[in-house]
Amino acid sequence: MRKAQRLAHHPVSVYPLAMTNDAALTRRRSDNPHEETWHVYFDDVRVGTISVRAGVPVQADQWGWAVGFYPGMEPGTGRRGIATTFEAAREAFEAAWTELLPTIPKSAFAEWRCDRASRAEVAAKRARGEKLDSEIRNTLMRCVCGTTFDSWNPAESYPHRAHITAAQAANGTRL
């Protein structure tokens, strides 16, 4: 089946796949025009994909699906498979999701959302031309005595060398 024919059967809009625990699975077409991939979401968390397999012989099953997300789920706990048609892949995906969902703690979804927010924050800083906090040089140190000093300023750092050396000798970290 040619790509144009396959696309004609699957509208680009978002619509429910299955109802599970008061939240519908929805799928959205990937924005990559060179591949036919559908991202599947549970609420706002992308939990898997259904896509045409690239580089397989025409007589092989053309569709692949994968259920799982990271961070949140432990690696290796997801499910995946292949199918001859989009509908068969969708049904297999739904069956795997229905089996897998009760084993996924709510905290896994929260972890994924937190990671998404963190990545968005980094992307926004980059878009504004700002450096990340980890890219800004900071020469301040806190001595074991509790004083914060500039390690590049000899006048500030010399008085604390004795404190730091004594603490390292006491806990066995001194080389």
Side-chain angles (χ1 to χ4, degrees), residues 3 6-7 12 28-39 46 50-52 54:
K3 185 172 183 177
R6 284 194 312 257
L7 294 178
V12 177
R28 300 177 197 143
R29 179 74 189 267
S30 167
D31 59 2
N32 184 344
H34 303 291
E35 64 182 21
E36 186 172 357
T37 298
W38 295 88
H39 299 287
R46 191 170 95 189
I50 301 172
S51 62
V52 172

Side-chain angles (χ1 to χ4, degrees), residues 127-139:
R128 293 189 302 263
E130 297 175 14
K131 288 185 175 186
L132 302 179
D133 294 342
S134 60
E135 297 172 323
I136 300 170
R137 182 186 304 183
N138 184 353
T139 59

Side-chain angles (χ1 to χ4, degrees), residues 75-92:
T77 58
R79 311 276 193 282
R80 63 184 58 245
I82 57 175
T84 55
T85 65
F86 174 82
E87 288 304 318
R90 183 188 58 77
E91 289 171 11

Side-chain angles (χ1 to χ4, degrees), residues 40-112:
V40 183
Y41 291 82
F42 178 71
D43 194 15
D44 64 331
V45 176
R46 191 170 95 189
V47 297
T49 59
I50 301 172
S51 62
V52 172
R53 298 170 59 213
V56 297
V58 293
Q59 67 274 16
D61 292 342
Q62 295 296 304
W63 288 89
W65 58 271
V67 178
F69 56 96
Y70 187 84
M73 290 178 58
E74 290 298 318
T77 58
R79 311 276 193 282
R80 63 184 58 245
I82 57 175
T84 55
T85 65
F86 174 82
E87 288 304 318
R90 183 188 58 77
E91 289 171 11
F93 184 100
E94 286 182 21
W97 177 251
T98 301
E99 178 184 308
L100 192 59
L101 180 58
T103 67
I104 303 171
K106 290 199 181 298
S107 62
F109 297 103
E111 185 178 353
W112 190 90

Side-chain angles (χ1 to χ4, degrees), residues 118-153:
S118 175
R119 289 174 189 272
E121 184 180 333
V122 168
K125 277 189 169 188
R126 294 272 188 232
R128 293 189 302 263
E130 297 175 14
K131 288 185 175 186
L132 302 179
D133 294 342
S134 60
E135 297 172 323
I136 300 170
R137 182 186 304 183
N138 184 353
T139 59
L140 295 181
M141 289 182 65
R142 180 175 302 278
C143 180
V144 293
C145 71
T147 305
T148 300
F149 64 94
D150 185 349
S151 64
W152 282 30
N153 182 340

